[in-house]
Amino acid sequence: MSFNLAQREDTIIALATPQGVGAIAVIRLSGKDAIRVCNEVFYGKDLEKQASHTIHFGTIRNGERVIDEVLVSLFVAPKSFTKENVVEISTHGSSYIINQVIRLFVKKGVRPAKPGEFTQRAFLNGQFDLAQAEAVADLIHADSEASHSAALNQMRGGFSSEIQELRAQLIHFASMIELELDFVEEDVEFASREDLRVLVEKLLRVVEELILSFDLGNVIKNGVPTVIAGKPNAGKSTLLNALLNEEKAIVSDIAGTTRDFIEDEINIGGVIFRFIDTAGLRETTDTIEAIGVSRTQEKMKTASLILYLFDLSDTDLVEINRDINKLENLGVPFLKVANKTDKAKDNIINELKENHPDVIFISAGQKENLEGLKVKILELVNLDKFKTGNTVVTNIRHYDSLTRTREPLLDVLGGLDQEVTNDFLAMDIRRSLHFLGEITGEITTDDLLANIFSKFCIGK
Ligand SMILES: Nc1nc2c(ncn2[C@@H]2O[C@H](COP(=O)(O)OP(=O)(O)OP(=O)(O)O)[C@@H](O)[C@H]2O)c(=O)[nH]1
Ligand SMILES: [Mg+2]
């Protein structure tokens, strides 16, 4: 794909609403000729004489034949999403009508849009920067409150404006130092080295904070990986099913029923959790079960949260203490969850309450106190600060550019320490600027753009 201006002379069309039958469908056109071509097939007012941001009732006709009664919304350049002339045609939501309308326009020389082409045009015409364009994609795919607010915040420029501002300050220093190069003989200093150090240190802090936020950003997008672990027959699969409200995992009283991972997403309080049911932890001679057990141990290490589940009718305090000890050494946050309250003997419950006041008592089989468990889960991950619109990096490309910015920034600091010559200093600053610019799109390549926009769906 190339992104020259000639290609953007043409007018594009796509269905903007999802495929399939609906009450209405919206077909979108963008380009120089969008309004003119629409006027040729629209019977109603003369669209070319109407003001921007107006809606008009009429029919779309192929020759004499009426295809549908429609509403046409006009957005005259540059007051539109793409900054080009945009027409949105609301038709009845039948796939027959949609196909007929799109075909009619294609016959008139309008080109079917590629995935993400509307957003790409918006970007190329300066509607927003690259990080914001990518946020549009995230927003379309957001399916939880937390990922929605992270994407929305980014689209509004929260993330980019911070980067852009710091980059602008750094550009100032780069030009001052490069200017000094022209005056070597005079030995002047236009850029205070102390101010430069302060700025670079601040930049490093921001970059490192953003890098750290990526882990959480990732979690917001893909769900908090939460492993349910414990002995065979503790009721792990029963708990997964109870949380999901469906019989997803096989439950039986045979120890060692689950051998592979079974996972699914659950929305708790606006945050997506990815619950992973695992093979029960025990020494086993069964080869396949043993593989399952070692995989469980691996999975526990990479989890954000572990639900340690044990059976109140079949576990004693010694064993529980031993397991908790192991979990503490693992270093992953975990909750102690006692299952089968319906079958437990009183003394174990009292013993536990004394020794571990933070144990959560549930009955997965009877679906008891699952709400209490959910509250504790939410408390433990504490995603609150990310719901209030703090800057979070959710995009692997941004993360990559940020990590690559770090190194030249450190070089600038090192250079200041060692009082290297100006040309070296300027070079390291330029390298930092390059990677920072990649994030917001001040520096792009065709490959990069093609790669980003191809991830969108058609019509976006
Ligand atoms: N009474 C009672 N039985 C339960 C409860 N939760 C689970 N069970 C029973 O305990 C047995 C084991 O449950 P599973 O969910 O298969 O246990 P698991 O931890 O997945 O076991 P493995 O897959 O073998 O590691 C089944 O017979 C369940 O019906 C509960 O809260 N109360
Ligand atoms: Mg199981």
Side-chain angles (χ1 to χ4, degrees), residues 8-58:
R8 286 158 60 204
E9 287 282 292
D10 55 4
T11 298
I12 54 173
I13 187 166
L15 178 66
T17 44
Q19 287 285 350
V21 181
I24 58 165
V26 176
I27 295 165
R28 179 154 66 168
L29 290 103
S30 177
K32 211 171 61 195
D33 297 327
I35 298 173
R36 187 186 59 71
V37 179
C38 190
N39 210 22
E40 287 177 17
V41 297
F42 178 79
Y43 287 73
K45 285 184 185 157
D46 182 349
L47 296 177
E48 288 188 279
K49 298 210 171 101
Q50 307 306 315
S52 183
H53 294 66
T54 52
I55 301 177
H56 307 280
F57 175 78

Side-chain angles (χ1 to χ4, degrees), residues 14 51 113 116 133 165 182 187 225 240 256 291 324:
E165 192 193 303
D182 296 340
D187 191 28
L240 178 80
I291 296 172
I324 287 176

Side-chain angles (χ1 to χ4, degrees), residues 20 22 30 39 94 124 127 157 200 204 220 238 281 303 321 374 389 453:
S30 177
N39 210 22
S94 108
L124 290 170
Q127 177 77 285
V200 172
L204 258 173
I220 287 172
T238 310
L281 293 167
N321 284 335
K374 288 183 188 174
F453 287 103

Side-chain angles (χ1 to χ4, degrees), residues 237 250 258 277:
S237 302
I250 300 173
T258 308
D277 178 22

Side-chain angles (χ1 to χ4, degrees), residues 232-238 252 256-258 280 339-340 342-343 363-365:
N233 271 348
K236 299 179 294 297
S237 302
T238 310
S252 88
T257 305
T258 308
N339 188 28
K340 310 197 190 178
D342 55 305
K343 256 171 100 176
S363 165

